[in-house]
Amino acid sequence: MEIFDILVTVSFWVAALRIATPLIFGVTGALLCERAGVLNLGIEGIMTVGAMTGWITVHLGGSLWGGVVAAMAMGALCGLVLAVLTVKLGLSQHVSGLGVTMLATSASYFTYRVVLPNANTPPRIQPFEPLNIPGLSDLPVIGPILFQQTALTLLAIALVALTACFLARTPLGLAVRAVGENPAAVEAQGLDVHRLRMGAVVAGSAVMALGGAFLTMSAFNAFFFEMVAGRGWICIALTVFASWRPGKALIGAILFGAFDAFQVRLQQVVGGAVPGQVFLMIPYLLSIVALVVWSRKASYPKALMVPYIKGQR
């Protein structure tokens, strides 16, 4: 029963939401790109460059929110590179995305070494502190879970709601969805397919970079090599799990965060009786099962990964 008691503790769900936050940013950004018909496999590198840029900005004297803006700007720049390659030039989205991941990751490590050539350990910064909103933070259960997180966690949840509203209820959002389904019909309406797709990729990449910035400016207080640790690829899988819907994407990210928080606590309960690597596999194995079960009937954007040439029918 001690194992199942873990699932009903408030601290467990506080940790689950905190772990899920970079995934919420990442899957929201991936969803924006893919709704417009572009698979963004640059996400792992974009999250890495966002983590490094946000942290280095604060380390060099900038504010925390200045670091957030800088991370988004660098993510948007990476997205622009990807958009030019895949939308304007019509190159392979798989190859271009992996190229952006390698470029952004290598550039992050290079910048770190240039700025801190003699650092054996990364300098620490003062990260975002958990909020304590009077009245709301004192609510039973929901108060500590939601309103004692950092500002970036609340921003992540707000971005999911804004993205859902944008895609479903605004003319621009409907146009973005349309270019992911039938770009020829969009062009027939006098809209620029390339501009819409490029805008979605740039915006989505900026949101992805926030996932990395959360790691260095909220979850931790320094930049470490390999700290993104495959979270970008998890976000790509979560997009499929969510059937390209923001609400389901939020649920999927929190579910993975819960799996990860559970394996950490399970190690404490079981102790050394089971190798630690077994516990580390649990969130990924459960995610694969969830992906298989819930995404079998997923309806993907019809023009996803299909380059569009102007005037083509």
Side-chain angles (χ1 to χ4, degrees):
M1 289 299 295
E2 187 176 357
I3 293 176
F4 294 102
D5 289 342
I6 295 173
L7 300 175
V8 296
T9 60
V10 171
S11 61
F12 168 78
W13 290 104
V14 170
L17 183 55
R18 183 174 64 250
I19 293 170
T21 299
L23 301 178
I24 296 172
F25 282 123
V27 73
T28 302
L31 190 146
L32 270 173
C33 296
E34 294 187 26
R35 276 291 200 172
V38 179
L39 177 65
N40 190 342
L41 293 184
I43 182 171
E44 186 81 2
I46 291 171
M47 290 181 73
T48 300
V49 80
M52 190 281 299
T53 302
W55 166 77
I56 204 72
T57 299
V58 178
H59 172 66
L60 294 177
S63 66
L64 287 171
W65 286 109
V68 168
V69 173
M72 292 184 69
M74 190 58 68
L77 179 60
C78 292
L80 180 60
V81 172
L82 179 66
V84 170
L85 293 173
T86 59
V87 179
K88 278 289 186 183
L89 302 180
L91 302 180
S92 168
Q93 295 182 10
H94 295 93
V95 175
S96 299
L98 293 175
V100 168
T101 280
M102 291 187 287
L103 173 64
T105 301
S106 300
S108 299
Y109 298 163
F110 176 76
T111 302
Y112 176 90
R113 288 304 182 193
V114 169
V115 176
L116 301 166
N118 302 315
N120 294 322
T121 57
R124 309 288 175 170
I125 63 170
Q126 183 61 42
F128 282 97
E129 296 291 340
L131 299 174
N132 190 3
I133 304 175
L136 295 177
S137 298
D138 298 326
L139 293 173
V141 184
I142 192 66
I145 292 176
L146 189 57
F147 298 111
Q148 290 183 15
Q149 302 281 351
T150 66
L152 289 184
T153 295
L154 298 183
L155 175 61
I157 296 172
L159 277 176
V160 173
L162 289 173
T163 300
C165 183
F166 168 74
L167 290 173
R169 299 185 179 277
T170 66
L172 181 58
L174 293 174
V176 168
R177 289 170 55 188
V179 295
E181 297 287 345
N182 190 341
V186 173
E187 187 181 56
Q189 295 297 315
L191 300 176
D192 191 318
V193 173
H194 284 182
R195 186 173 297 177
L196 286 167
R197 282 188 166 180
M198 291 182 71
V201 173
V202 169
S205 298
V207 175
M208 290 173 181
L210 286 177
F214 174 85
L215 294 174
T216 51
M217 300 170 62
S218 188
F220 307 104
N221 56 3
F223 175 77
F224 304 96
F225 296 143
E226 307 295 341
M227 72 181 309
V228 174
R231 288 178 175 87
W233 311 127
I234 291 295
C235 291
I236 296 295
L238 286 174
T239 307
V240 180
F241 166 82
S243 301
W244 292 269
R245 298 176 182 174
K248 287 185 67 177
L250 175 62
I251 293 171
I254 294 175
L255 189 62
F256 184 89
F259 291 158
D260 205 358
F262 182 70
Q263 65 88 9
V264 172
R265 283 156 176 76
L266 196 59
Q267 289 188 57
Q268 299 171 353
V269 173
V270 177
V274 179
Q277 291 81 357
V278 174
F279 296 103
L280 294 175
M281 289 191 303
I282 289 176
Y284 298 95
L285 290 174
L286 292 177
S287 297
I288 291 171
V289 172
L291 185 64
V292 170
V293 172
W294 279 293
S295 66
R296 294 177 68 182
K297 298 181 180 179
S299 178
Y300 62 91
K302 298 298 186 294
L304 180 62
M305 296 186 291
V306 179
Y308 184 73
I309 301 173
K310 289 188 176 182
Q312 177 177 282
R313 290 293 185 270

